[in-house]
Amino acid sequence: MREEKEMEYTRALLVGLDRGTEPDFDHSMEELKSLAQAAGRQVAGVIVQHMEAVNKAFYIGTGKVAQVREYARECQAAEVIFDNTLSPSQVRNLGKELELPVLDRTNLILDIFAIRARTREAKLQVETARLQYFLPRLVGMRENLSRQGATGGIGAGGAQSSRGAGETKLELDRRRIEQRISELKRELESVSQARETMRKKRSRSGIPQVALVGYTNAGKSTILNRMVDLYGEGREKTVLEKDMLFATLDTSVRCISDKDGEGANRPFFLADTVGFIEKLPHSLVKAFRSTLEEVRDADLLVQVVDVSDEFYRQHMEVTGQTLQELGAGDIPQIIVYNKADKCNMQELPKVGHMQLHMAAGQGCGLQELKDMIEKCVYAGRVNVELLLPYDRGDIASYFMDKATILEQEYRDDGVWMRVNCDRSDGDKYARYQKNRG
């Protein structure tokens, strides 16, 4: 928490390059402001250049670099943040000319993730991504440092090698970072295996798996918490819910089930996942891939959209592109237009085909969403009762693996089970079906 307090006083100058190819450039710059504030920066000013091509050396034009330098002094900015990912050479060249720390959009998002990370897994993932981002940018950062022991060790006739003494600081830093990345990957592998074990256990239960996905700050955590309050495991199972970018970095999975009513005995796992954003760094997607496996393995995705945001359609496009990158683009989806109350929409909730307008923060539309999810994930599934002879343990194992076991008893004449399974499985083993008596 001390880090967040210190960063609060950092004044930053934002710089954008409008090449005329980005239809929502102004929105991108507004989002950069929000990201800067989420990272504890105070926006001291904004400069935008309109230029068709990127300057390979400085990203912006050389004349604009001088303007940025002067304006940074006037507004007393302590650092300069650019709207897109910069190459290592651009960061190096801009740092020399501006004489201030230079960050790009990727670095800023990584800073936010570092602040927000709470669990061991999230911290490992963020540190890995940051080091992978930093590694290629070492070039030039140490070029002004003299070599350590450049004159060598013992003379040519000596038996001792001078390689260690002559190694540059850059090479030492690179070696340390690469070693640390390897250590982090080993730790992450161990954590990922534990998560995979839990995921396989949920899969073997036969209970459908549903994942909340969408742009950051669309209301995914709010939906999960309200579902847990109404149909879940208790208040202690809720997750952090806050009106900010990337409030949640960890994937949380909760079991949602009615104790009675139409939804009784139709449980499903609901996962809250890290939000997406435009120009989400690939290093982060890669580092969080194990966490996002919950998305790829889901039976159904619920894309949560902040419909009160004027750029919500662009947010949906970004979400779709990210899902494709994760290999989850073909999973069935329900589209939830959340925060519809802020649009003065009447008669909420509004239910459509695989679509729902709702206001999760007001508790509006939760029952309709749950019903819609159940209808999707339990389509083609039936409840059947089976009496399996003790010598047909293979069938019992099959249903334990592929179906949801609702009840089970060991009787004199076999194992009685009431299961929720695919209709085809119920038909296949119809001869073992038996009413409880």
Side-chain angles (χ1 to χ4, degrees), residues 303 305-306 309-319 337:
Q303 183 181 163
V305 181
D306 178 1
D309 191 309
E310 61 177 313
F311 296 99
Y312 76 90
R313 293 190 183 279
Q314 290 87 329
H315 295 174
M316 294 176 70
E317 291 178 6
V318 171
T319 297
Y337 296 102

CSV table of all heavy atoms in Angstrom, one decimal, residues 303 305-306 309-319 337:
chain,number,residue,atom,x,y,z
A,303,GLN,N,-20.2,-12.8,-21.8
A,303,GLN,CA,-19.5,-11.5,-22.1
A,303,GLN,C,-20.2,-10.3,-21.4
A,303,GLN,O,-21.3,-10.0,-21.8
A,303,GLN,CB,-19.3,-11.3,-23.6
A,303,GLN,CG,-18.5,-10.0,-23.8
A,303,GLN,CD,-18.3,-9.7,-25.3
A,303,GLN,OE1,-17.9,-8.6,-25.7
A,303,GLN,NE2,-18.5,-10.7,-26.2
A,305,VAL,N,-20.7,-6.5,-20.8
A,305,VAL,CA,-20.4,-5.2,-21.5
A,305,VAL,C,-21.0,-4.0,-20.7
A,305,VAL,O,-22.1,-4.1,-20.3
A,305,VAL,CB,-21.1,-5.3,-22.9
A,305,VAL,CG1,-20.8,-4.0,-23.7
A,305,VAL,CG2,-20.6,-6.5,-23.7
A,306,ASP,N,-20.2,-3.0,-20.5
A,306,ASP,CA,-20.7,-1.8,-19.9
A,306,ASP,C,-21.4,-1.0,-21.0
A,306,ASP,O,-20.7,-0.2,-21.7
A,306,ASP,CB,-19.5,-1.0,-19.3
A,306,ASP,CG,-20.0,0.3,-18.7
A,306,ASP,OD1,-21.2,0.6,-18.7
A,306,ASP,OD2,-19.1,1.1,-18.2
A,309,ASP,N,-21.0,2.9,-21.5
A,309,ASP,CA,-19.8,3.5,-22.1
A,309,ASP,C,-20.1,3.7,-23.6
A,309,ASP,O,-20.5,2.7,-24.3
A,309,ASP,CB,-18.6,2.5,-21.9
A,309,ASP,CG,-17.3,3.2,-22.2
A,309,ASP,OD1,-17.2,3.7,-23.3
A,309,ASP,OD2,-16.4,3.1,-21.4
A,310,GLU,N,-19.9,4.9,-24.1
A,310,GLU,CA,-20.2,5.2,-25.5
A,310,GLU,C,-19.3,4.3,-26.4
A,310,GLU,O,-19.6,4.2,-27.6
A,310,GLU,CB,-20.0,6.6,-25.8
A,310,GLU,CG,-18.6,7.2,-25.5
A,310,GLU,CD,-18.4,8.6,-25.9
A,310,GLU,OE1,-18.9,9.0,-27.0
A,310,GLU,OE2,-17.9,9.4,-25.1
A,311,PHE,N,-18.2,3.8,-25.9
A,311,PHE,CA,-17.3,3.0,-26.8
A,311,PHE,C,-17.5,1.5,-26.5
A,311,PHE,O,-16.6,0.7,-26.8
A,311,PHE,CB,-15.9,3.4,-26.6
A,311,PHE,CG,-15.6,4.8,-27.0
A,311,PHE,CD1,-15.5,5.8,-26.0
A,311,PHE,CD2,-15.4,5.1,-28.3
A,311,PHE,CE1,-15.3,7.1,-26.3
A,311,PHE,CE2,-15.1,6.5,-28.7
A,311,PHE,CZ,-15.1,7.4,-27.7
A,312,TYR,N,-18.7,1.1,-26.1
A,312,TYR,CA,-18.9,-0.3,-25.7
A,312,TYR,C,-18.7,-1.3,-26.9
A,312,TYR,O,-18.3,-2.4,-26.7
A,312,TYR,CB,-20.2,-0.5,-25.0
A,312,TYR,CG,-21.4,-0.5,-25.8
A,312,TYR,CD1,-21.9,-1.7,-26.4
A,312,TYR,CD2,-22.1,0.6,-26.1
A,312,TYR,CE1,-23.1,-1.7,-27.2
A,312,TYR,CE2,-23.3,0.6,-26.9
A,312,TYR,CZ,-23.7,-0.5,-27.4
A,312,TYR,OH,-24.9,-0.5,-28.2
A,313,ARG,N,-19.1,-0.8,-28.1
A,313,ARG,CA,-19.0,-1.7,-29.2
A,313,ARG,C,-17.5,-2.0,-29.5
A,313,ARG,O,-17.1,-3.1,-29.9
A,313,ARG,CB,-19.6,-1.1,-30.5
A,313,ARG,CG,-21.2,-1.0,-30.3
A,313,ARG,CD,-21.8,-0.6,-31.6
A,313,ARG,NE,-23.3,-0.4,-31.4
A,313,ARG,CZ,-24.1,-1.4,-31.4
A,313,ARG,NH1,-23.7,-2.7,-31.6
A,313,ARG,NH2,-25.4,-1.2,-31.2
A,314,GLN,N,-16.6,-1.0,-29.4
A,314,GLN,CA,-15.2,-1.2,-29.6
A,314,GLN,C,-14.7,-2.1,-28.5
A,314,GLN,O,-13.8,-3.0,-28.7
A,314,GLN,CB,-14.5,0.1,-29.5
A,314,GLN,CG,-14.7,1.0,-30.8
A,314,GLN,CD,-15.9,1.9,-30.6
A,314,GLN,OE1,-16.9,1.5,-30.0
A,314,GLN,NE2,-15.9,3.0,-31.2
A,315,HIS,N,-15.2,-2.0,-27.3
A,315,HIS,CA,-14.8,-2.9,-26.2
A,315,HIS,C,-15.2,-4.3,-26.5
A,315,HIS,O,-14.4,-5.3,-26.2
A,315,HIS,CB,-15.5,-2.5,-24.9
A,315,HIS,CG,-15.0,-1.1,-24.4
A,315,HIS,ND1,-15.6,-0.5,-23.3
A,315,HIS,CD2,-14.0,-0.3,-24.8
A,315,HIS,CE1,-15.0,0.6,-23.1
A,315,HIS,NE2,-14.1,0.8,-24.0
A,316,MET,N,-16.3,-4.5,-27.1
A,316,MET,CA,-16.7,-5.9,-27.5
A,316,MET,C,-15.8,-6.5,-28.6
A,316,MET,O,-15.5,-7.6,-28.6
A,316,MET,CB,-18.2,-5.9,-28.0
A,316,MET,CG,-19.2,-5.5,-26.9
A,316,MET,SD,-20.9,-5.4,-27.5
A,316,MET,CE,-21.2,-7.2,-27.9
A,317,GLU,N,-15.4,-5.6,-29.5
A,317,GLU,CA,-14.4,-6.1,-30.5
A,317,GLU,C,-13.1,-6.5,-29.9
A,317,GLU,O,-12.5,-7.5,-30.3
A,317,GLU,CB,-14.2,-4.9,-31.6
A,317,GLU,CG,-15.4,-4.6,-32.4
A,317,GLU,CD,-15.1,-3.5,-33.4
A,317,GLU,OE1,-14.0,-3.0,-33.4
A,317,GLU,OE2,-16.1,-3.1,-34.1
A,318,VAL,N,-12.6,-5.7,-29.0
A,318,VAL,CA,-11.3,-6.0,-28.3
A,318,VAL,C,-11.5,-7.4,-27.5
A,318,VAL,O,-10.6,-8.2,-27.6
A,318,VAL,CB,-10.9,-4.9,-27.3
A,318,VAL,CG1,-9.8,-5.4,-26.4
A,318,VAL,CG2,-10.6,-3.7,-28.0
A,319,THR,N,-12.6,-7.6,-26.9
A,319,THR,CA,-12.9,-8.8,-26.2
A,319,THR,C,-12.9,-10.0,-27.1
A,319,THR,O,-12.3,-11.0,-26.9
A,319,THR,CB,-14.2,-8.7,-25.4
A,319,THR,OG1,-14.2,-7.7,-24.4
A,319,THR,CG2,-14.6,-10.1,-24.7
A,337,TYR,N,-25.5,-6.9,-21.4
A,337,TYR,CA,-25.3,-5.5,-21.4
A,337,TYR,C,-25.6,-4.9,-20.0
A,337,TYR,O,-26.7,-4.6,-19.6
A,337,TYR,CB,-26.3,-4.9,-22.5
A,337,TYR,CG,-26.0,-5.3,-23.9
A,337,TYR,CD1,-26.7,-6.3,-24.5
A,337,TYR,CD2,-24.9,-4.8,-24.6
A,337,TYR,CE1,-26.4,-6.7,-25.8
A,337,TYR,CE2,-24.6,-5.2,-25.9
A,337,TYR,CZ,-25.4,-6.2,-26.5
A,337,TYR,OH,-25.1,-6.6,-27.7
